[in-house]
Amino acid sequence: MTTHCCEAMNSRVDVPCDRHDDPFACPDTLVAFSAAFQEYALIIHDGGTSSLTIGFCPWCGRRLPESQRDRWFDELERRGIDPGENEVPPEFRDERWLAPLPQE
């Protein structure tokens, strides 16, 4: 589990909801966090999955981590995996892929 920049962000990212499985459907969920990409976004509750990526915490003002989206796609391409065509390995669905590779 990821520790976020402040307690306010922790409580906004991990909003428990017994009515909605999807955070984009829950009006109480304001922030989406992608562990794989290390991205934070404000959810736009328009009935879909729209969001606006943010670079600073709205509560404490700290700079948020740099997005790893490009690096994620580059690493999958290096391994010959097309996420549109192939199944993405489980370690690429969260932050595990960011861990340093073991030295050979």
Side-chain angles (χ1 to χ4, degrees):
M1 185 167 130
T2 301
T3 301
H4 306 288
C5 57
C6 64
E7 192 54 43
M9 183 66 90
N10 284 332
S11 67
R12 283 358 183 264
V13 170
D14 298 318
V15 174
C17 181
D18 58 1
R19 295 187 57 212
H20 304 94
D21 292 332
D22 180 1
F24 287 88
C26 179
D28 294 327
T29 304
L30 303 175
V31 180
F33 174 68
S34 167
F37 296 151
Q38 296 293 295
E39 287 179 346
Y40 291 84
L42 298 177
I43 295 174
I44 300 169
H45 290 288
D46 61 357
T49 58
S50 298
S51 64
L52 178 65
T53 304
I54 57 175
F56 293 87
C57 176
W59 293 278
C60 73
R62 289 188 192 136
R63 178 172 273 295
L64 298 171
E66 180 124 0
S67 172
Q68 299 299 307
R69 183 180 296 266
D70 290 341
R71 185 174 159 208
W72 187 87
F73 281 101
D74 290 345
E75 184 60 25
L76 288 179
E77 182 179 352
R78 187 182 74 74
R79 294 176 182 215
I81 300 169
D82 178 350
E85 300 289 324
N86 308 112
E87 185 173 340
V88 175
E91 66 271 16
F92 279 85
R93 295 184 196 139
D94 57 32
E95 68 276 357
R96 288 177 289 167
W97 75 274
L98 291 165
L101 297 173
Q103 298 297 320
E104 296 180 10

